[in-house]
Amino acid sequence: MQAAQPRYHAIDHLRATMISIVMFGHAILPYVTIPRRFKDPQTHLGFDVVAVFLYSFAMPAFFVTAGFSTALILHRKGMRGLIKNRVQLIFLPLLAAYLVLSPVTRGAYKFATHVTHTGSIQGGIDAVLVLDWIRLSKPYHLWFLLSLLIFTVLAIGLRWAVLNGAGGKKENLRSLSRSLLTSRWNTTFGIFIVALTMVPAYVMYGSDATTWAMQLTLFVFFLGGWLLYLHRDVLPDLQHHPWRPITIAVVTLALAVWSVRARLQTPDDPQLILGLIAGVSQSILAVCMTSGLVGLYYARFNQPSALGSYVSDASYWIYLIHYPLLIAVAGALTVTPFPAVVKYLLTVSVVVPIVLLSYQFGVRNTPVGRLLKSRRNKRNDA
């Protein structure tokens, strides 16, 4: 009888948490002082601090879990199983979501911006009724699904090149990657590697995740997750001192907030010094928070949990539909005199129940839910 395959509950729970953090982070964006396409008249510096902190590690940590899971699927199901999984779990949802959510998100932005400019919800409704927003444009928040597909292809190509080009040096390369993961300098080395792409991203573009430089940064984290699966026996070692890198990240936060805020005041103008400081500080935050969270989750959450399983199952659907809802609700709230904190809490209080109820009663036990592949019985497959 074949032995049962181990389940990496910590990776599954970490992935769901990062997706949830991105949703709550998106709700912050109308209230930051940094220039944005849509902003509420009420902003607060505190939201800048929280946004810089959350965005420094949420997507990097998510792509670590994605790289880990992709390597796991390839190991357990082979290339055919991986292709089937990517088509079912990423390509088809991306295609369907893009066809629906690209115009809907565009319409939500139009509603929100017109409410802000006119000071009237009716002004936003009138703008939406023109219907010129019903067309396909950029993928908005769906970019991460496209990135997952591209990163999977790139990682497989890189794996093929290594396996076919290394010859007798394959074991040496495997030993080297293991040494890097287990070295006392692994965090420092990770910061250096990430900074090679993070610094150009901030020097030239600001923090836009869809630029080539930031995509390379996220691909580095994807590969880091892949290597972590290849050397998964070192996972228990990460749980011993998870708070050390997290403490380093927190200490770096003030510098990161100052530099990122200053850099994003003129995001389209390349700036060497500010970009360098922002890129390095963000690299420290991203690497330290990600490594600390992997260790922390392995120490505390590497066991089955009913709540964790439900959130994991629901997180994919929630991520797909939350963004236009957040924009529309935040846009409607611009006409109120409430402070930014109250508006943020109201936005979350309205949107979170809607997305959870839509999953529970409209998706969970439907063909859509099966397309998104419930993870209750098949963990770590995204």
Side-chain angles (χ1 to χ4, degrees), residues 16 19-20 307-321 355-356 359-360 363-364 372 374-375:
I19 292 176
S20 300
L307 176 61
S309 296
Y310 184 85
V311 172
S312 182
D313 287 348
S315 61
Y316 197 171
W317 169 255
I318 290 173
Y319 186 88
L320 290 177
I321 69 164
V355 295
L356 285 175
Y359 172 74
Q360 177 64 29
V363 173
R364 190 181 187 191
L372 298 180
S374 171
R375 298 181 180 87

Side-chain angles (χ1 to χ4, degrees), residues 17-18 20-29 47-61 253 257 282 285-286 289-290 293 344:
T17 302
M18 294 305 103
S20 300
I21 283 178
V22 170
M23 178 182 69
F24 287 102
H26 281 156
I28 288 173
L29 296 181
F47 285 110
D48 292 14
V49 176
V50 176
V52 170
F53 181 62
L54 295 183
Y55 279 90
S56 70
F57 68 86
M59 272 301 167
L253 180 60
V257 171
Q282 285 291 82
L285 275 172
M289 283 300 301
T290 298
L293 286 171
Y344 172 79

Side-chain angles (χ1 to χ4, degrees), residues 87-141:
V87 170
Q88 176 184 333
L89 190 57
I90 300 178
F91 177 74
L92 292 179
L94 170 61
L95 180 61
Y98 175 70
L99 293 175
V100 175
L101 293 178
S102 177
V104 168
T105 304
R106 186 180 180 87
Y109 266 120
K110 186 168 187 178
F111 170 79
T113 53
H114 277 75
V115 171
T116 305
H117 293 156
T118 63
S120 163
I121 292 179
Q122 186 60 51
I125 294 174
D126 292 341
V128 171
L129 290 177
V130 175
L131 302 181
D132 59 349
W133 51 272
I134 305 179
R135 61 184 177 87
L136 297 176
S137 56
K138 63 182 183 180
Y140 295 101
H141 63 301

Side-chain angles (χ1 to χ4, degrees), residues 10-11 14 17-18 21 53-54 57-58 61-62 238-239 242-243 245-246 285-301:
I11 298 297
L14 180 59
T17 302
M18 294 305 103
I21 283 178
F53 181 62
L54 295 183
F57 68 86
F62 169 81
L238 301 178
Q239 67 181 319
W243 290 107
I246 292 175
L285 275 172
V287 173
C288 289
M289 283 300 301
T290 298
S291 61
L293 286 171
V294 171
L296 184 63
Y297 269 66
Y298 194 86
R300 302 288 180 85
F301 306 110

